[in-house]
Amino acid sequence: MDDVTGVYCDTDAAFSETLRKSLRGTAVNISLLTTRDPEGRYHGLAVTTAVPFSSHLPSMIVAVSHAASAYPAIRDSQMYCLNQITSKDIELLDKFSRSDLRASRFTNGTWRAGLGGLPYLATATASFFCSVATAQSYEDQTVFIGRIDGVRLADGSGAGECDPLIWINGGPAKLAGRAYA
């Protein structure tokens, strides 16, 4: 333990557990990342690491594990789509999170082909079509910075009408009924 009470450093035995607990309490958005390989096959995964990076040069940043089945397709095609999902699409979250359900990822839902042939979810609050501008490998992940080439809002969606799905305390949560925002 450091000199500051309650602060753990990476050399402390309790650091890993304390870090895990603190990160679990951080609310993040859930997106379904989709891509296609050079042969046109669709690939995807659920991510909680997608965030806007710049509005001057419109970009989205996402971290993808090298072990993810979609990783080689993103690396080779240099494009991806981030679909921000709502509580209505929670059944897709399981399919995009589990490798044993990989074959059924695009069998349900309202999938369409968008820019560059990338699959997008018509019911997503927003879909960001990105081309990789740069990538940085770090340990077992690659951080992709994608230039936003196009964006699609769900039909009839407005900022106050959506019910985005977030991830907090190890699971999905709805924001509907919240007192603020």
Side-chain angles (χ1 to χ4, degrees):
M1 176 97 76
D2 199 296
D3 289 17
V4 180
T5 304
V7 175
Y8 295 86
C9 297
D10 61 358
T11 56
D12 298 322
F15 176 77
S16 290
E17 182 61 19
T18 303
L19 178 63
R20 187 185 69 76
K21 286 180 181 177
S22 64
L23 291 175
R24 286 176 62 92
T26 302
V28 293
N29 73 312
I30 300 173
S31 295
L32 299 182
L33 181 149
T34 58
T35 190
R36 58 188 291 266
D37 62 27
E39 289 78 36
R41 291 182 300 259
Y42 289 170
H43 300 271
L45 69 148
V47 296
T48 57
T49 58
V51 292
F53 184 63
S54 172
S55 59
H56 175 67
L57 297 171
S59 311
M60 292 289 283
I61 189 170
V62 65
V64 178
S65 169
H66 296 162
S69 61
Y71 173 75
I74 299 166
R75 181 195 62 216
D76 295 346
S77 71
Q78 295 288 290
M79 58 184 178
Y80 58 89
C81 181
L82 293 166
N83 299 276
Q84 295 179 331
I85 62 173
T86 70
S87 60
K88 293 177 185 174
D89 291 311
I90 195 165
E91 76 282 350
L92 291 174
L93 180 59
D94 203 34
K95 290 182 179 190
F96 278 75
S97 299
R98 295 178 39 190
S99 60
D100 62 322
L101 297 176
R102 183 178 302 135
S104 65
R105 288 182 178 161
F106 296 96
T107 58
N108 292 30
T110 51
W111 294 102
R112 308 282 188 266
L115 291 178
L118 289 171
Y120 73 88
L121 186 62
T123 55
T125 60
S127 297
F128 299 92
F129 299 90
C130 302
S131 55
V132 175
T134 189
Q136 177 64 49
S137 207
Y138 182 77
E139 297 291 331
D140 64 341
Q141 308 257 333
T142 292
V143 175
F144 293 99
I145 298 176
R147 181 182 173 278
I148 300 173
D149 298 320
V151 63
R152 181 191 179 279
L153 290 175
D155 295 336
S157 74
E161 300 170 12
C162 66
D163 180 17
L165 200 58
I166 62 167
W167 191 265
I168 189 166
N169 294 323
K174 293 171 39 167
L175 285 178
R178 61 197 182 272
Y180 303 103

